Amino acid sequence: MATDENDENSGGKHVTGATVWLTGLPSAGKTTIAHELAGRLRDEGRRVEVLDGDEIREFLSAGLGFGREDRHTNVQRIGFVAELLASNGVTVLVPVIAPYADSREAVRKRHGAEGTAYVEVHVATPVEVCSVRDVKGLYAKQAAGEISGLTGVDDPYEEPEAPDLRIESHTQTVQESAASLYALLGERGLL
């Protein structure tokens, strides 16, 4: 919900915030799509933040590992910050793997309890495509035995059963992916 302060800062116009959670495998295209959409929203004068999973791990969740409990803690921290921003009129784009359905559901429930809009997007890129993209070299390191616990390879990834939007980034351009998400936000009255 927008506060009176937000209304004043926007010339009396009500400002709607929302959390848009983009989940998917490493190198699925989550962050690329988020930044593309963020640029479009900023060009329209909207308040938008991207909570990148890697940055959050460095600054907010430093010291957490990649076991199930630490991953859950990381997702809850991100969800808390996202809800706080969204409840104050910011569109928050969250490109984070969040491999466990129960962790994502806990974030959704937090938003629901606070009356804050939440949209779950599954960037459904097959692991074969992600491993070719291998933006951070994780798949190559896993294949070489240098790391283990890679989501979708030797660690679980629980796909969303009923996301608000499923984007198959391997079959369309980044701009088309961002446009489909923009359209959904418009349909939901979140623009």
Side-chain angles (χ1 to χ4, degrees), residues 19-24 94 97-98 100-108 117-123 157-167 181 184-185 188:
T19 294
V20 180
W21 197 285
L22 295 95
T23 179
V94 186
I97 296 168
Y100 300 110
D102 60 344
S103 295
R104 294 190 306 266
E105 184 58 24
V107 171
R108 180 188 293 276
Y118 179 86
V119 176
E120 183 178 67
V121 178
H122 180 205
V123 182
Y157 176 73
E158 299 170 357
E159 290 190 6
E161 291 182 17
D164 297 292
L165 179 65
R166 187 176 312 278
I167 293 175
L181 183 45
L184 176 66
L185 295 178
R188 299 274 173 98

Side-chain angles (χ1 to χ4, degrees), residues 127-135 139:
V127 69
E128 299 80 18
V129 174
C130 294
S131 66
V132 170
R133 289 179 180 171
D134 205 10
V135 178
Y139 293 93

Side-chain angles (χ1 to χ4, degrees), residues 162-174:
D164 297 292
L165 179 65
R166 187 176 312 278
I167 293 175
E168 297 191 7
S169 71
H170 58 293
T171 65
Q172 58 191 18
T173 67
V174 172

Side-chain angles (χ1 to χ4, degrees), residues 22 29-43 48-53 55 93-95 174 178 181:
L22 295 95
K30 302 175 298 297
T31 302
T32 303
I33 293 166
H35 283 291
E36 178 71 23
L37 180 58
R40 180 173 180 178
L41 295 174
R42 284 188 187 108
D43 287 348
V48 62
E49 289 294 335
V50 176
L51 298 182
D52 180 83
E55 292 175 0
L93 307 175
V94 186
V174 172
L181 183 45

Side-chain angles (χ1 to χ4, degrees), residues 47-60:
R47 298 170 66 198
V48 62
E49 289 294 335
V50 176
L51 298 182
D52 180 83
D54 292 332
E55 292 175 0
I56 295 291
R57 275 213 173 257
E58 181 179 352
F59 297 107
L60 187 63

